Structures are given as structure tokens and as C-alpha cells.
Amino acid sequence: MGKMSKHLLCTVADDGFVAMTRVMLHSFAKHNSWFKGDVLVIHGGDKCPLSEESKEKLSNCCSLNISFEDVGDLYLPIMSRVLKHKGNEQNIRTLVGFYKYEVFRDRGYERSVSLDGDMLIQDDIGYLFDNPSKMLFCLDGIGNSFSGDLGPGEPFPSKYNEINTGMMSVDVSSLDPNFYNILYDFALNYNYAKHSLPRNEQTLLSRFL
């Protein structure tokens, strides 16, 4: 399979998520030796801190070219608005999921793939990087099961009415240059008081798309 030369693998990690992220990166490297792209670990602010010690542990877990990007408190205004209308911080771990929107930011790569750090990669997943789709997502199926193929234009079963941001593959080069900014503004100005948001960033992204 011919693979493009400019790939980016993104993941979000904080000091409490290092062990799982190391497993994900190591297993990805083991089964995807063809990968010559870059890995970007997103972190930042008080909600998603990553110490120098943690960075060193991640950098040394495999032979991948790993770098880190501190987005600071960029997503704090969005997270604060969600918390205000949810009334508690019980979902603060999933609120950090908004950091995964960074996969849509144009960093000069042809395709960016975002994977959750608690994944175990057991095979070659090159199809996520070499794919004709502008965007590729998996369905959210927590507590559900679904088997069978969907025909052209056939809607997802109602219990699968959201995407799952645990895996996102994006042909960034084909997006509107302002796509990320438009998405960020949508999240920042969303009417959280009027509309429920059961699964935070993935519910919002599903409604945006």
C-alpha cells in the first residue's frame, strides 16, 4: 500500500495518562514500522499538565519521532462553559477531550490521525493514513452492539447518532483553511444552557459536522 510522506499522529496526554499512552505508542510503532511521520502529544494548562519527566518517559517508549505541544488554557473557556451548565466537574477527564480538536488544525501535514492514549494497537492501521475519505471516524457504541453494513445514504441506527473521537482521521489538506477556527468558535459560542451535551466534545463535534 502506497503511503503519503506527510503523516501526523496526535494524542492527548497528562501526567496521569502516561503509562497508557506509552502502551499505545509502543504498540503503534510495533505494528506500523512503515510509519515515518511525526507524533504530537497535546497537553496544557492546569487541566492537562505534562511534566518534563512525563515527556521523557513518552519520548523513550519507542523509536517514533515524538514532540509535544503545550496549548495552555486555550480550551479552558469552552470547558468552563460546559461545567457551568453541567453543574459539576465529574466529567473533567472527558472535558480534556476538547484538546483532540487539534487534529483539525493545519500544521502542514497531508493527513492527521488522532488516537486516544488508552488504545492498544494490534495490527497495521495504515488505512487510517492512506484513505480517500476527507474525514474518517468510528461510531459511538457505548453499551450497544451493531453488526452489518450500511448501504449508500442509509442513516446510522438511532443509537449510533454520534461519532467517537477516540479515533479520527482527517485529510487536513482538503479542509477549508478556517475549519479549525470555525469549529473552535462553534464550541466556544454553543448554547450549552439550551442543548444537552451528554458526551462533551464528541456530541458537540457530531452536531457541528
Side-chain angles (χ1 to χ4, degrees):
M1 177 170 54
K3 298 182 173 67
M4 297 180 295
S5 60
K6 299 187 70 176
H7 297 146
L8 180 66
L9 173 62
C10 297
T11 193
V12 177
D14 63 12
D15 290 324
F17 217 58
V18 171
M20 287 180 283
T21 304
R22 280 171 54 92
V23 171
M24 186 275 285
L25 293 174
H26 178 80
S27 62
F28 173 79
K30 178 180 178 180
H31 295 288
N32 295 270
S33 59
W34 58 267
F35 185 80
K36 305 303 180 186
D38 298 323
V39 176
L40 183 63
V41 179
I42 305 293
H43 65 98
D46 293 337
K47 303 301 183 185
C48 193
L50 194 65
S51 68
E52 292 302 316
E53 180 182 0
S54 293
K55 291 178 184 178
E56 184 175 0
K57 289 179 179 179
L58 290 171
S59 297
N60 296 334
C61 74
C62 58
S63 60
L64 295 171
N65 181 31
I66 301 174
S67 60
F68 303 88
E69 184 167 330
D70 186 342
V71 298
D73 291 326
L74 177 63
Y75 294 95
L76 185 58
I78 297 172
M79 297 161 69
S80 297
R81 293 199 63 224
V82 174
L83 287 173
K84 176 182 177 181
H85 295 293
K86 282 199 164 187
N88 60 68
E89 296 199 25
Q90 65 180 1
N91 291 321
I92 190 62
R93 158 59 63 185
T94 56
L95 278 175
V96 176
F98 283 105
Y99 286 51
K100 290 185 278 189
Y101 286 0
E102 290 293 316
V103 73
F104 297 102
R105 191 189 292 274
D106 186 358
R107 292 183 169 85
Y109 294 86
E110 293 172 353
R111 196 164 195 101
S112 296
V113 172
S114 175
L115 298 178
D116 275 1
D118 58 357
M119 288 184 171
L120 176 65
I121 311 302
Q122 297 181 298
D123 207 342
D124 186 332
I125 57 173
Y127 56 87
L128 296 181
F129 295 88
D130 186 13
N131 195 286
S133 302
K134 182 180 292 188
M135 300 181 189
L136 188 66
F137 307 99
C138 59
L139 301 178
D140 181 77
I142 297 176
N144 297 312
S145 62
F146 172 71
S147 60
D149 297 324
L150 296 176
E154 184 179 349
F156 294 143
S158 59
K159 59 187 177 184
Y160 286 97
N161 58 358
E162 285 187 2
I163 62 172
N164 188 309
T165 57
M167 186 288 294
M168 298 185 286
S169 174
V170 182
D171 180 358
V172 182
S173 63
S174 69
L175 297 181
D176 182 304
N178 293 315
F179 185 94
Y180 170 81
N181 292 330
I182 296 170
L183 171 60
Y184 182 91
D185 289 343
F186 179 82
L188 183 62
N189 298 299
Y190 189 77
N191 191 339
Y192 295 102
K194 183 177 180 181
H195 304 289
S196 64
L197 200 66
R199 293 199 177 103
N200 297 326
E201 89 288 341
Q202 69 182 42
T203 300
L204 196 69
L205 182 60
S206 299
R207 291 174 183 174
F208 175 76
L209 295 174

